[in-house]
PDB file of all heavy atoms in Angstrom:
ATOM      1  N   LYS A  40     -13.235 -16.404 -43.417  1.00  0.00           N
ATOM      2  CA  LYS A  40     -11.929 -17.066 -43.372  1.00  0.00           C
ATOM      3  C   LYS A  40     -10.798 -16.067 -43.542  1.00  0.00           C
ATOM      4  O   LYS A  40      -9.770 -16.148 -42.895  1.00  0.00           O
ATOM      5  CB  LYS A  40     -11.874 -18.142 -44.434  1.00  0.00           C
ATOM      6  CG  LYS A  40     -10.582 -18.954 -44.423  1.00  0.00           C
ATOM      7  CD  LYS A  40     -10.626 -20.014 -45.481  1.00  0.00           C
ATOM      8  CE  LYS A  40      -9.316 -20.797 -45.465  1.00  0.00           C
ATOM      9  NZ  LYS A  40      -9.299 -21.830 -46.487  1.00  0.00           N
ATOM     10  N   ASN A  41     -11.018 -15.093 -44.435  1.00  0.00           N
ATOM     11  CA  ASN A  41      -9.978 -14.100 -44.683  1.00  0.00           C
ATOM     12  C   ASN A  41      -9.716 -13.263 -43.443  1.00  0.00           C
ATOM     13  O   ASN A  41      -8.572 -12.943 -43.114  1.00  0.00           O
ATOM     14  CB  ASN A  41     -10.383 -13.194 -45.858  1.00  0.00           C
ATOM     15  CG  ASN A  41     -10.382 -13.953 -47.176  1.00  0.00           C
ATOM     16  OD1 ASN A  41      -9.686 -14.958 -47.301  1.00  0.00           O
ATOM     17  ND2 ASN A  41     -11.174 -13.484 -48.136  1.00  0.00           N
ATOM     18  N   ALA A 116       1.380  26.339   7.156  1.00  0.00           N
ATOM     19  CA  ALA A 116       0.983  25.375   8.178  1.00  0.00           C
ATOM     20  C   ALA A 116       0.185  24.226   7.562  1.00  0.00           C
ATOM     21  O   ALA A 116      -0.782  24.451   6.832  1.00  0.00           O
ATOM     22  CB  ALA A 116       0.177  26.051   9.266  1.00  0.00           C
ATOM     23  N   VAL A 119      -2.422  22.219  12.624  1.00  0.00           N
ATOM     24  CA  VAL A 119      -2.184  23.043  13.819  1.00  0.00           C
ATOM     25  C   VAL A 119      -2.838  22.378  15.019  1.00  0.00           C
ATOM     26  O   VAL A 119      -3.952  21.848  14.925  1.00  0.00           O
ATOM     27  CB  VAL A 119      -2.748  24.466  13.623  1.00  0.00           C
ATOM     28  CG1 VAL A 119      -2.438  25.329  14.840  1.00  0.00           C
ATOM     29  CG2 VAL A 119      -2.177  25.102  12.357  1.00  0.00           C
ATOM     30  N   LYS A 120      -2.133  22.397  16.146  1.00  0.00           N
ATOM     31  CA  LYS A 120      -2.658  21.806  17.370  1.00  0.00           C
ATOM     32  C   LYS A 120      -2.362  22.727  18.542  1.00  0.00           C
ATOM     33  O   LYS A 120      -1.269  23.285  18.652  1.00  0.00           O
ATOM     34  CB  LYS A 120      -2.019  20.436  17.597  1.00  0.00           C
ATOM     35  CG  LYS A 120      -2.524  19.711  18.844  1.00  0.00           C
ATOM     36  CD  LYS A 120      -1.955  18.303  18.930  1.00  0.00           C
ATOM     37  CE  LYS A 120      -0.457  18.308  19.104  1.00  0.00           C
ATOM     38  NZ  LYS A 120       0.108  16.952  19.325  1.00  0.00           N
ATOM     39  N   GLY A 144       2.367  23.612  43.641  1.00  0.00           N
ATOM     40  CA  GLY A 144       1.050  24.039  44.101  1.00  0.00           C
ATOM     41  C   GLY A 144       0.175  24.602  42.993  1.00  0.00           C
ATOM     42  O   GLY A 144      -1.034  24.716  43.156  1.00  0.00           O
ATOM     43  N   SER A 155       2.658  21.538  12.072  1.00  0.00           N
ATOM     44  CA  SER A 155       3.568  20.916  11.109  1.00  0.00           C
ATOM     45  C   SER A 155       3.588  21.756   9.843  1.00  0.00           C
ATOM     46  O   SER A 155       2.628  22.469   9.542  1.00  0.00           O
ATOM     47  CB  SER A 155       3.125  19.484  10.792  1.00  0.00           C
ATOM     48  OG  SER A 155       1.816  19.477  10.260  1.00  0.00           O
ATOM     49  N   ALA A 175       7.044  37.373  16.536  1.00  0.00           N
ATOM     50  CA  ALA A 175       6.519  38.734  16.603  1.00  0.00           C
ATOM     51  C   ALA A 175       5.050  38.794  17.021  1.00  0.00           C
ATOM     52  O   ALA A 175       4.523  39.880  17.282  1.00  0.00           O
ATOM     53  CB  ALA A 175       6.688  39.412  15.244  1.00  0.00           C
ATOM     54  N   PRO A 185      12.659  23.288  13.955  1.00  0.00           N
ATOM     55  CA  PRO A 185      13.461  22.094  13.662  1.00  0.00           C
ATOM     56  C   PRO A 185      14.912  22.483  13.381  1.00  0.00           C
ATOM     57  O   PRO A 185      15.193  23.589  12.895  1.00  0.00           O
ATOM     58  CB  PRO A 185      12.793  21.507  12.412  1.00  0.00           C
ATOM     59  CG  PRO A 185      11.418  22.071  12.406  1.00  0.00           C
ATOM     60  CD  PRO A 185      11.523  23.436  13.026  1.00  0.00           C
ATOM     61  N   ASN A 220      13.468  -1.012 -30.691  1.00  0.00           N
ATOM     62  CA  ASN A 220      13.895  -0.804 -32.076  1.00  0.00           C
ATOM     63  C   ASN A 220      14.434  -2.093 -32.682  1.00  0.00           C
ATOM     64  O   ASN A 220      14.125  -2.431 -33.832  1.00  0.00           O
ATOM     65  CB  ASN A 220      14.955   0.293 -32.137  1.00  0.00           C
ATOM     66  CG  ASN A 220      15.393   0.588 -33.560  1.00  0.00           C
ATOM     67  OD1 ASN A 220      14.593   1.016 -34.392  1.00  0.00           O
ATOM     68  ND2 ASN A 220      16.671   0.353 -33.846  1.00  0.00           N
ATOM     69  N   ARG A 231      11.121  -7.364 -45.611  1.00  0.00           N
ATOM     70  CA  ARG A 231      11.851  -6.388 -46.415  1.00  0.00           C
ATOM     71  C   ARG A 231      11.597  -6.591 -47.910  1.00  0.00           C
ATOM     72  O   ARG A 231      11.563  -5.613 -48.683  1.00  0.00           O
ATOM     73  CB  ARG A 231      13.345  -6.447 -46.106  1.00  0.00           C
ATOM     74  CG  ARG A 231      14.024  -7.769 -46.456  1.00  0.00           C
ATOM     75  CD  ARG A 231      15.402  -7.854 -45.801  1.00  0.00           C
ATOM     76  NE  ARG A 231      16.155  -9.046 -46.198  1.00  0.00           N
ATOM     77  CZ  ARG A 231      15.940 -10.262 -45.714  1.00  0.00           C
ATOM     78  NH1 ARG A 231      14.988 -10.459 -44.824  1.00  0.00           N
ATOM     79  NH2 ARG A 231      16.679 -11.277 -46.119  1.00  0.00           N
ATOM     80  N   GLY A 245       5.280   6.837 -48.142  1.00  0.00           N
ATOM     81  CA  GLY A 245       4.284   7.014 -47.091  1.00  0.00           C
ATOM     82  C   GLY A 245       3.262   5.892 -47.063  1.00  0.00           C
ATOM     83  O   GLY A 245       2.856   5.430 -46.000  1.00  0.00           O
ATOM     84  N   ILE A 247       3.742   2.812 -48.082  1.00  0.00           N
ATOM     85  CA  ILE A 247       4.412   1.599 -47.610  1.00  0.00           C
ATOM     86  C   ILE A 247       4.648   1.656 -46.102  1.00  0.00           C
ATOM     87  O   ILE A 247       4.446   0.680 -45.381  1.00  0.00           O
ATOM     88  CB  ILE A 247       5.753   1.402 -48.350  1.00  0.00           C
ATOM     89  CG1 ILE A 247       5.512   1.208 -49.848  1.00  0.00           C
ATOM     90  CG2 ILE A 247       6.529   0.221 -47.770  1.00  0.00           C
ATOM     91  CD1 ILE A 247       6.784   1.207 -50.674  1.00  0.00           C
ATOM     92  N   GLY A 271      -1.170  -3.350 -12.253  1.00  0.00           N
ATOM     93  CA  GLY A 271      -2.401  -3.099 -11.510  1.00  0.00           C
ATOM     94  C   GLY A 271      -2.826  -4.310 -10.694  1.00  0.00           C
ATOM     95  O   GLY A 271      -3.272  -4.173  -9.547  1.00  0.00           O
ATOM     96  N   VAL A 273      -0.846  -6.534  -9.456  1.00  0.00           N
ATOM     97  CA  VAL A 273       0.083  -6.622  -8.322  1.00  0.00           C
ATOM     98  C   VAL A 273      -0.354  -5.674  -7.205  1.00  0.00           C
ATOM     99  O   VAL A 273      -0.344  -6.034  -6.017  1.00  0.00           O
ATOM    100  CB  VAL A 273       1.520  -6.310  -8.772  1.00  0.00           C
ATOM    101  CG1 VAL A 273       2.450  -6.188  -7.564  1.00  0.00           C
ATOM    102  CG2 VAL A 273       2.035  -7.390  -9.705  1.00  0.00           C
ATOM    103  N   GLY A 279      -3.426  -8.317   0.187  1.00  0.00           N
ATOM    104  CA  GLY A 279      -3.656  -9.698   0.583  1.00  0.00           C
ATOM    105  C   GLY A 279      -2.377 -10.473   0.806  1.00  0.00           C
ATOM    106  O   GLY A 279      -2.372 -11.497   1.500  1.00  0.00           O
ATOM    107  N   ALA A 299      -1.020   5.638 -17.982  1.00  0.00           N
ATOM    108  CA  ALA A 299      -1.155   6.457 -19.196  1.00  0.00           C
ATOM    109  C   ALA A 299       0.212   6.739 -19.806  1.00  0.00           C
ATOM    110  O   ALA A 299       0.373   6.748 -21.035  1.00  0.00           O
ATOM    111  CB  ALA A 299      -1.877   7.759 -18.871  1.00  0.00           C
ATOM    112  N   LEU A 321      13.565   1.325 -47.313  1.00  0.00           N
ATOM    113  CA  LEU A 321      12.980   2.009 -48.460  1.00  0.00           C
ATOM    114  C   LEU A 321      14.048   2.500 -49.433  1.00  0.00           C
ATOM    115  O   LEU A 321      13.794   2.633 -50.623  1.00  0.00           O
ATOM    116  CB  LEU A 321      12.124   3.190 -47.987  1.00  0.00           C
ATOM    117  CG  LEU A 321      10.785   2.828 -47.335  1.00  0.00           C
ATOM    118  CD1 LEU A 321      10.107   4.065 -46.787  1.00  0.00           C
ATOM    119  CD2 LEU A 321       9.884   2.112 -48.334  1.00  0.00           C
TER     120      LEU A 321
END
Side-chain angles (χ1 to χ4, degrees):
K40 183 179 179 181
N41 291 336
V119 183
K120 181 174 65 174
S155 59
N220 182 62
R231 64 194 185 282
I247 297 172
V273 171
L321 287 174

